């Protein structure tokens, strides 16, 4: 079993004077995305994400009758430090602002304009809020005469709650909140130990509450998805809950074990349960993944496979939740960190630096950035790096452009929905390059591969045309947009 390398996010020495700067935008075109993927900021973001992700896998615990400690939302086993309690109070304060600001009743086409008033209220009080709720070690971190830690953290915090101009919210804002937590980490605000307790506290205590606040903002002010791919995206607004939720269901590990990339703990629900609303409701209060799926059911109507085909494809993976977790990390790198529309507004300061990481590997040419916007039309295809220690090759989203014609497709332009099998095939390649469709499957040599009853028989999401045993799903009927002739 291969492992995922969790790099360490360095905590700055509080004995040194630090020159804080106000974060500014650096990504202006596709070439800048390539520079970002070899920057210190990218290194630190991925290090933090991998550390938080690993802490959520079940752990061996001999003191329990089951021998395994599973981490669930709302569990009394999760420890909240003083910093986490403070950040929770900060988020509760922001939620109270929603109650104090009435909705605009005038005509509107998209989001409710009262969201702008909520955002202005937060911005008006942000400095005092950070003074009240950030830990003392962050507020008093040695700094130069011009800027303090608050000047730098303010930018990431205010960028975490959507755009008041566009009345939307997306994964770029979610990324900003992750960076805000990373700033506190680097300034020594979290009590980090080898047990992973603080990392779990960050996710279950702070990120969960943040996501709940975001969902209330979306529903209250009807915020639009920012940079959404429509039904062909993973989720209209969020990505992190799918990473963390899949880790919660992974196999148990010891403190020195590598992060698993296959399997699930015994008793984990079947991934296919996401298509069953009653089973989603059962798990959503305990797990991030099902919590995000539950929110989709709250705001969307119709068959799950129709409004969320990407998640539906992923639900057919039979190699376990750890396999889904690995795929989600790869997909986060490809669809969030490597996409210009998502990262273009991310600001860079002294804590998440635009400077190049001297230890970075040479950029790898990827199809993901071949169509990124560029100011220099004569430049060559830009390149990206992958999440070091995790991604060995490029991955493709279902909508990614390619010069190759997919099997069975004519060369003329077709709408994505015209051939769902092509989309499912692309999802398959993102999570795995091999499949085993059961005892009757044949290898290239023409022989049937062995199937172990104790292990899974598939390592990727099924095509829509495949029948999935036990779930009795088959290819959904073709659909047409209302305006289609």
């Amino acid at each position: 079993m291969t492992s995922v390398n969790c790099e360490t996010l360095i905590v700055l020495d509080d004995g040194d004077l630090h020159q804080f700067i106000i974060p500014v935008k650096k990504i202006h075109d596709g070439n800048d995305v390539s520079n970002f993927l070899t920057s210190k900021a990218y290194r630190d973001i991925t290090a933090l994400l991998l550390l938080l992700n690993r802490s959520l896998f079940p752990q061996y615990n001999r003191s329990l009758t089951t021998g395994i400690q599973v981490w669930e939302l709302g569990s009394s086993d999760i420890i909240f430090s003083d910093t986490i309690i403070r950040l929770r109070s900060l988020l509760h304060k922001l939620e109270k602002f929603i109650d104090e600001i009435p909705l605009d009743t005038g005509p509107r086409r998209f989001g409710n304009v009262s969201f702008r008033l909520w955002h202005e209220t937060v911005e008006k009080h942000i400095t005092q809020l950070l003074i009240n709720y950030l830990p003392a070690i962050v507020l008093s971190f040695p700094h130069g005469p011009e800027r303090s830690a608050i000047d730098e953290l303010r930018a990431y915090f205010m960028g975490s709650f959507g755009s008041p101009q566009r009345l939307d919210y997306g994964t770029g804002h979610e990324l900003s909140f992750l960076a805000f937590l990373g700033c506190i980490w680097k300034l020594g605000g979290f009590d980090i130990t080898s047990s992973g307790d603080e990392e779990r506290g960050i996710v279950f205590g702070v990120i969960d509450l943040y996501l709940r606040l975001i969902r209330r903002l979306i529903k209250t002010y009807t915020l639009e998805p920012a940079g959404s791919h429509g039904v062909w995206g993973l989720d209209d607004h969020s990505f992190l809950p799918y990473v963390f939720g899949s880790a919660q269901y992974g196999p148990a590990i010891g403190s020195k074990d590598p992060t698993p990339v296959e399997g699930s703990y015994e008793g984990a629900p079947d991934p296919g349960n996401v298509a069953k609303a009653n089973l989603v409701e059962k798990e959503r209060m305990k797990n991030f993944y099902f919590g995000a799926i539950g929110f989709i059911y709250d705001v969307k109507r119709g068959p799950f496979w129709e409004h969320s085909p990407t998640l539906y494809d992923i639900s057919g993976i039979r190699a376990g939740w750890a396999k889904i977790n690995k795929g989600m990390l790869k997909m986060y790198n490809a669809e969030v960190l490597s996409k210009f529309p998502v990262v273009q507004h991310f600001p860079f300061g002294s804590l998440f630096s635009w400077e190049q990481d001297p230890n970075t590997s040479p950029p790898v040419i990827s199809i993901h950035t071949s169509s990124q916007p560029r100011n220099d039309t004569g430049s060559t295809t830009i390149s990206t790096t992958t999440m070091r220690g995790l991604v060995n090759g490029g991955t493709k989203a279902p909508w990614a452009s390619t010069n190759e014609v997919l099997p069975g497709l004519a060369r003329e332009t077709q709408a994505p929905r015209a051939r769902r099998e092509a989309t499912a095939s692309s999802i398959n390649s993102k999570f795995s390059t091999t499949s085993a469709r059961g005892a009757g499957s044949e290898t290239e040599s023409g022989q049937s591969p062995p199937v172990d009853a104790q292990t899974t028989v598939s390592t990727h999401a099924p095509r829509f045309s495949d029948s999935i045993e036990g779930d009795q799903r088959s290819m959904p009927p073709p659909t047409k947009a209302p305006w289609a002739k």
Side-chain angles (χ1 to χ4, degrees):
M1 182 179 292
T2 58
S3 63
V4 175
N5 178 31
C6 290
E7 301 182 33
T8 300
L9 183 60
I10 302 299
V11 176
L12 301 181
D13 185 356
D14 60 1
D16 297 333
L17 196 67
H18 187 80
Q19 299 297 330
F20 292 100
I21 59 177
I22 296 178
V24 295
K25 177 179 176 178
K26 295 286 188 178
I27 300 177
H28 302 285
D29 61 15
N31 291 314
D32 293 331
V33 175
S34 181
N35 292 333
F36 164 61
L37 293 171
T38 56
S39 69
K40 293 180 179 179
Y42 174 85
R43 174 200 65 191
D44 292 344
I45 289 169
T46 56
L48 176 61
L49 178 60
L50 293 177
L51 288 167
L52 297 178
N53 179 70
R54 178 180 170 81
S55 72
L56 303 185
F57 277 83
Q59 292 185 343
Y60 292 115
N61 189 334
R62 295 180 180 179
S63 65
L64 300 177
T65 55
T66 60
I68 295 177
Q69 174 70 67
V70 178
W71 310 108
E72 296 181 341
L73 289 167
S75 172
S76 59
D77 296 321
I78 307 299
I79 300 173
F80 292 166
S81 66
D82 178 68
T83 297
I84 292 170
I85 293 173
R86 284 175 169 272
L87 292 176
R88 286 175 62 84
S89 298
L90 172 59
L91 293 173
H92 281 307
K93 184 66 175 178
L94 299 191
E95 188 168 18
K96 290 181 180 179
F97 289 155
I98 300 177
D99 301 324
E100 298 170 1
I101 299 173
L103 291 175
D104 182 82
T105 58
R108 56 191 173 88
R109 182 180 178 186
F110 299 112
N112 194 293
V113 294
S114 289
F115 175 66
R116 291 171 180 158
L117 182 57
W118 180 89
H119 204 278
E120 290 173 4
T121 302
V122 176
E123 190 168 22
K124 178 181 177 181
H125 295 90
I126 182 60
T127 300
Q128 192 58 47
L129 287 171
L130 294 179
I131 292 174
N132 292 344
Y133 294 109
L134 286 180
I137 190 173
V138 172
L139 296 174
S140 61
F141 200 92
H143 57 84
E146 296 183 357
R147 306 292 180 191
S148 67
I150 287 183
D151 295 315
E152 192 151 339
L153 269 67
R154 184 192 296 113
Y156 295 109
F157 190 75
M158 289 306 304
S160 303
F161 302 100
S163 169
Q165 292 79 28
R166 299 184 302 274
L167 301 178
D168 63 12
Y169 173 88
T171 51
H173 304 108
E174 183 184 66
L175 173 62
S176 188
F177 189 74
L178 185 66
F180 170 73
L181 297 175
C183 290
I184 297 175
W185 179 304
K186 297 186 74 172
L187 296 175
F190 292 115
D191 185 18
I192 305 300
T193 64
S194 59
S195 66
D197 287 340
E198 190 76 344
E199 290 93 324
R200 279 187 291 275
I202 292 172
V203 178
F204 286 106
V206 182
I207 294 181
D208 175 51
L209 197 59
Y210 164 75
L211 291 172
R212 293 175 187 271
L213 170 61
I214 290 301
R215 289 165 188 163
R216 186 178 176 192
L217 287 172
I218 291 171
K219 294 178 72 173
T220 300
Y221 301 112
T222 57
L223 300 183
E224 293 291 310
S228 170
H229 292 288
V231 298
W232 303 107
L234 182 73
D235 187 287
D236 281 345
H237 302 99
S238 298
F239 204 113
L240 291 181
Y242 298 100
V243 176
F244 297 143
S246 56
Q248 285 179 263
Y249 289 139
I253 59 176
S255 59
K256 296 183 180 180
D257 291 337
T259 303
V261 294
E262 288 185 354
S264 306
Y265 82 85
E266 186 176 357
D270 188 282
N273 289 355
V274 300
K276 304 169 184 177
N278 61 323
L279 298 181
V280 170
E281 195 65 26
K282 179 181 176 181
E283 294 290 329
R284 67 182 299 180
M285 301 307 295
K286 300 184 293 184
N287 177 267
F288 278 97
Y289 196 104
F290 279 84
I293 297 291
F295 183 68
I296 291 177
Y297 277 106
D298 290 343
V299 298
K300 293 188 177 182
R301 297 292 180 267
F304 184 79
W305 55 262
E306 188 173 83
H307 59 62
S308 302
T310 302
L311 286 167
Y312 181 84
D313 279 328
I314 293 170
S315 73
I317 289 178
R318 292 292 176 261
W321 283 100
K323 184 75 171 183
I324 294 176
N325 180 254
K326 178 186 177 183
M328 286 297 174
L329 287 170
K330 293 172 67 176
M331 199 172 181
Y332 188 82
N333 180 73
E335 301 304 325
V336 177
L337 299 180
S338 301
K339 286 298 176 69
F340 173 79
V342 179
V343 298
Q344 62 175 320
H345 300 296
F346 187 85
F348 297 84
S350 66
L351 298 175
F352 283 92
S353 174
W354 181 249
E355 294 179 7
Q356 296 297 287
D357 177 13
N359 299 317
T360 189
S361 57
V364 177
I365 296 177
S366 167
I367 193 172
H368 285 288
T369 53
S370 61
S371 60
Q372 301 270 29
R374 297 190 297 271
N375 288 332
D376 181 7
T377 56
S379 62
T380 58
T381 301
I382 63 174
S383 58
T384 72
T385 58
T386 55
M387 197 173 287
R388 292 186 292 277
L390 173 66
V391 186
N392 295 320
T395 56
K396 293 191 293 184
W399 53 85
S401 61
T402 175
N403 294 326
E404 299 179 359
V405 178
L406 293 172
L409 283 181
R411 289 191 175 272
E412 61 268 16
T413 302
Q414 292 184 332
R417 64 183 68 84
R419 287 302 297 269
R420 293 180 183 272
E421 285 194 26
T423 299
S425 176
S426 182
I427 292 291
N428 294 345
S429 67
K430 183 179 297 297
F431 283 83
S432 177
T433 56
T434 61
S435 71
R437 298 187 180 278
S441 300
E442 293 185 350
T443 61
E444 292 182 2
S445 63
Q447 298 181 356
S448 299
V451 178
D452 187 346
Q454 301 299 318
T455 60
T456 56
V457 297
S458 177
T459 57
H460 74 296
R463 299 174 187 271
F464 278 116
S465 57
D466 295 339
S467 175
I468 302 177
E469 295 183 3
D471 199 10
Q472 302 301 319
R473 287 182 294 176
S474 59
M475 180 178 175
T479 60
K480 291 184 179 180
W483 55 87
K485 294 182 179 179

